[in-house]
Structure formats: C-alpha cells, structure tokens
Amino acid sequence: AAPGGAPVTRFYLHRAQSADMKQEFAEFVIDGRWRFIGDEVTFESEDLKVYQEYFFRVTAENSMGKSPPSEISEALRTHADIPLQPAPPGSNFIGLTEIELGWICPDDQGAAIQRWEVEHAENEAMEAAVLIELEGNECKHILTELLPNSCHYARVRCYNTLGWSEWSAVSQPMTTRAAEPARPNIPKEVEWSPFHYMHTWMHSDNRGSEIVAFDFAATHVDNRANLPQSDSKLPVADEFAGDNVNTSVVVVRTTGDVTKASTTNLMPGHSYVFAVAAINGVGRSFWSEPTEPLRTDPYVPEQPVRPMLVSKTQTSAVVTVMLPHDNGTPVTH
C-alpha cells in the first residue's frame, strides 16, 4: 500500500468464458493464494475446463472497500488433454455369429481422436480378451466369427496426441442368436442284410441350441423324388409319408443323443436311399445329401404260388407256375 494508505487484504478474481464477462465467476482469493513477484501480484485460478477459452479481471479490497474491477484480460485457452473416458459400447445388431458394436465418441479435450482399441471377451472380467485396433474415429465395429448363442462383453478406449483415454466400463452382456443345427453329413451304412439297413451319422453342430432329435428318412429308389431335398428344412410331406418303405417315405425319429437308425422290412435285392436331419429348440436343419442308392443283399426266391394243371394224358401232365420273385438273383432252376 502507498504511504498513508490501507493495505490490500484480499483480491477477487473474476473469470468467464466470454469477453463480455457474462456469467462470470468471482473467486475469493486469500493471502495464501497470491504472492508478490517484484511489484506484481501472482495468483492461480483452478478447476478450469480443458482446452477452453477464459477471460479474467481482478478486484482488490482493503479496509476501505473494493476497487472497481480491472480491464478484461486477453483470451487464455487451457491446454488440451487426453480424451475423456468413453461410455461403454452397446449393440446395434446381433446376429448368429456377429455383433455390431456402437458407442458415443467422448470429448476429445482439444486434440482430435486418431484411433480406438476395442477389447471383447466371453466374461465380464475381460479375461483372455481379444484386442482390436481401429484407425480413425468411427465409433462402431462388427465382431465376427463368434459362436452362436455365445455371450460377449466389450469395452473401448481412444487415443489423441496427448495419449490414451481410460478404458470405458465393460458393456452389458450381448448374446448371439441360436439357429437351426448345421446340416448333418450323409448317413453311413454300417450293417445290412436282405431285409434291413443300419446307418450312423456324425453329430452335427447344434449352433447354440441343444439337438433334441434326428429324423432319418428312407424310401425305395423308385420313390427317391419324394425324399426331402438337401436345400429343404421341411418335414416329409404327408402325401409321401407312410409305414411301407417300399411305397412311401418312412421317417424314424431318434433322440438327440442317438446318431444311428435301422430301416427294416426292405425287399432283398432292391435299392433304397436315405437322408437325415437334426432338430433343436430353434427348428430343423437342412436335410443331408441323400445316400447313393444302396442295394440289399439277395435272398432265396420267394415261395412260388400254387401250380396250375394245364392239360393231362394217361401218362403225362402239363403244369404251369408263376415265376416267383427272385429276391435279387435270377432263378436258375
């Protein structure tokens, strides 16, 4: 203070984010917050926002009261910083084997975001997480090659020239869809006789829903057009289904843990075709490709019908008989 004057006891620092000082904030400054450097007073204004413009003016106070405020300072912009922490990602679309992630871009705090990292895992603790690096600032990414009906978690972080943001919180769980089972392989014959065939097949991928049954279809080769095609998921049409494998399509249903079926009442020396489809909680798979025509083993001829007397004499007779079914190999005598 000048001789005879009253010492300045405190300062008020006024700051605002516009040059007209509207909505200014007056900060009371006590002794411990300012210091003399030569004939100047220096003090610090805290809690400013990153990469924002501020304007300042000062009011001094002594025992006689407050001074008029100083002129307004030139604009001061605070330094840039790393980006703010992003919000956790969400799902824009969830399919059978993919999830489209999307998230909100956070404040870059004065330096443009240049790239992102995405982590995803099958557990909320993010153990054994897969890391994906993304250039640019597009706030979405599609996770691919996931298993059907599998649960996934994700988190993201971003980078600018000042460094990496914090990782976002972990997302809510996201579960891919289940689907009909994968198409089974062609059934493989493992046992046969003149009257039956036994087939087995590999257990197909359940695609996220437990397989509860298999439908095994069989028919005579003459009816193969009525067997379900491999591009169909439909059951055997009622008009073609029946109990006689020689005239209709016979379907044997097994439980989901049984991958074999036997077809009986076949005719010796005849050819048949077979196919299989899997069923889970979502629906039926595509039917397998049909087998090649498989021929049953030959057998002794069928029992001939009663012979008929055509003519007779005192010492001879002419008898005729219908040729029986040869059951797969010609009747020789």
Side-chain angles (χ1 to χ4, degrees), residues 222-240:
D222 292 344
N223 304 317
R224 67 181 304 168
N226 300 332
L227 197 71
Q229 301 302 300
S230 59
D231 60 354
S232 172
K233 297 180 181 179
L234 298 176
V236 174
D238 291 341
E239 60 188 297
F240 303 135

Side-chain angles (χ1 to χ4, degrees), residues 68-325:
S70 70
E71 293 184 2
I72 299 170
S73 71
E74 295 181 354
L76 179 149
R77 182 178 289 277
T78 53
H79 291 306
D81 201 352
I82 62 173
L84 292 180
Q85 181 186 28
S91 56
N92 297 329
F93 168 80
I94 297 180
L96 181 66
T97 60
E98 62 186 32
I99 297 174
E100 182 179 331
L101 298 177
W103 56 89
I104 298 173
C105 186
D107 189 332
D108 62 17
Q109 303 221 89
I113 293 172
Q114 298 176 348
R115 59 180 180 270
W116 288 84
E117 286 185 343
V118 179
E119 279 191 338
H120 68 97
E122 295 187 7
N123 58 85
E124 191 172 7
M126 301 301 290
E127 296 173 349
V130 176
L131 178 66
I132 301 168
E133 297 180 351
L134 305 174
E135 294 295 327
N137 192 23
E138 188 173 19
C139 296
K140 64 180 181 180
H141 179 69
I142 299 177
L143 305 179
T144 60
E145 300 182 4
L146 309 176
L147 293 176
N149 198 34
S150 58
C151 184
H152 299 267
Y153 299 83
R155 62 181 182 176
V156 297
R157 68 173 182 170
C158 52
Y159 175 87
N160 66 13
T161 54
L162 279 302
W164 286 100
S165 72
E166 295 182 42
W167 282 103
S168 72
V170 176
S171 70
Q172 294 295 310
M174 298 168 285
T175 303
T176 53
R177 293 189 300 106
E180 300 90 345
R183 184 201 317 271
N185 292 331
I186 299 174
K188 174 67 176 176
E189 67 275 15
V190 293
E191 181 183 300
W192 57 92
S193 74
F195 305 103
H196 91 289
Y197 257 101
M198 174 75 76
H199 283 84
T200 186
W201 55 89
M202 298 292 292
H203 212 292
S204 53
D205 184 353
N206 65 25
R207 302 181 80 185
S209 178
E210 181 181 2
I211 293 177
V212 296
F214 289 96
D215 277 351
F216 181 77
T219 192
H220 194 278
V221 70
D222 292 344
N223 304 317
R224 67 181 304 168
N226 300 332
L227 197 71
Q229 301 302 300
S230 59
D231 60 354
S232 172
K233 297 180 181 179
L234 298 176
V236 174
D238 291 341
E239 60 188 297
F240 303 135
D243 297 329
N244 187 339
V245 71
N246 299 293
T247 59
S248 60
V249 179
V250 173
V251 178
V252 176
R253 175 161 290 189
T254 73
T255 57
D257 58 344
V258 176
T259 55
K260 65 179 180 179
S262 180
T263 310
T264 58
N265 298 321
L266 308 182
M267 293 190 298
H270 282 246
S271 294
Y272 298 85
V273 287
F274 308 86
V276 64
I279 301 170
N280 66 8
V282 179
R284 184 191 312 275
S285 72
F286 285 109
W287 286 88
S288 71
E289 296 287 343
T291 64
E292 293 295 324
L294 298 174
R295 186 177 177 87
T296 53
D297 290 339
Y299 196 59
V300 298
E302 291 184 355
Q303 182 182 13
V305 299
R306 182 180 180 181
M308 297 178 60
L309 179 64
V310 176
S311 63
K312 60 184 178 178
T313 67
Q314 287 90 350
T315 59
S316 66
V318 177
V319 177
T320 185
V321 63
M322 295 292 294
L323 187 67
H325 192 281

